[in-house]
Amino acid sequence: PAPPPAPPRSEEEEVGVAAVAAFLGSPGTGIPAARAQAAAEAGAAHGILSLGQLLQRWLGGESRELAAHLGLSEEDASVLDPQVEEWETRVQAVADFIDGGCGSFTAAQARAAAESAAAGGVKAVGKMLRRWKREQRGGRGPEAIAELLHVDGSRAIEVVAALEEWGRTDGVDAV
């Protein structure tokens, strides 16, 4: 008999699987988007429902087991090794910024927001500030950051305030 269908994923899990697919299909991996999506779906079937789970388990010594679960080759896994390290460092730096600058976020919520940002192509605080400035020039408000981070409007406003403060102080050279 066929296995029972997987329970429907939550919105948070859908965002996580999309982030895994974005990572796997990012420039430098050599994995085409369709294969990256299929690998992310295979990972979800094995309980990998966020980019953080993938990155942290990969770095925790499970890289080859994870690659097998994702249907990736040994060559794919070797190419992913440095990518995983780079993404983990960058995502954690953005998470630390959000956690440190926005009091309403727990560390786990800041990490989830940073993973969403990375999936949207934003893996640095300076890049997030540039994205915010570009969205502002285009007539959008904090909802643009809410969409990028998958957070509600009040949290997006808090992140925007932290970004603008960072831009005035630490990030002057980044903008």
Side-chain angles (χ1 to χ4, degrees):
R9 291 194 289 247
S10 69
E11 182 181 346
E12 185 178 306
E13 290 169 341
E14 287 293 342
V15 168
V17 172
V20 169
F23 163 69
L24 293 172
S26 65
T29 66
I31 300 173
R35 249 183 84 220
Q37 184 62 46
E41 292 296 337
H46 284 87
I48 312 266
L49 295 167
S50 76
L51 179 59
Q53 286 176 324
L54 176 69
L55 297 176
Q56 289 160 0
R57 286 178 59 187
W58 193 281
L59 292 171
E62 297 180 56
S63 61
R64 296 318 178 251
E65 180 185 336
L66 288 171
H69 287 324
L70 299 173
L72 300 174
S73 69
E74 179 65 34
E75 183 180 334
D76 291 331
S78 295
V79 170
L80 285 174
D81 286 337
Q83 299 286 331
V84 167
E85 289 185 29
E86 178 191 341
W87 274 60
E88 174 58 27
T89 299
R90 290 170 167 257
V91 167
Q92 192 57 51
V94 172
D96 290 346
F97 167 78
I98 293 170
D99 187 31
C102 304
S104 75
F105 284 79
T106 65
Q109 291 166 332
R111 175 66 192 215
E115 290 174 16
S116 293
V122 175
K123 297 183 304 244
V125 176
K127 193 166 185 179
M128 192 182 323
L129 179 60
R130 287 189 295 277
R131 169 82 63 95
W132 165 238
K133 297 291 187 192
R134 188 173 65 241
E135 295 286 2
Q136 270 188 309
R137 285 191 300 275
R140 296 197 67 208
E143 73 277 0
I145 294 300
E147 291 167 11
L148 176 69
L149 302 180
H150 288 86
V151 297
D152 66 31
S154 64
R155 288 222 166 120
I157 290 167
E158 192 177 6
V159 171
V160 165
L163 283 171
E164 290 180 342
E165 177 63 24
W166 181 85
R168 282 191 292 278
T169 56
D170 308 330
V172 174
D173 296 332
V175 179

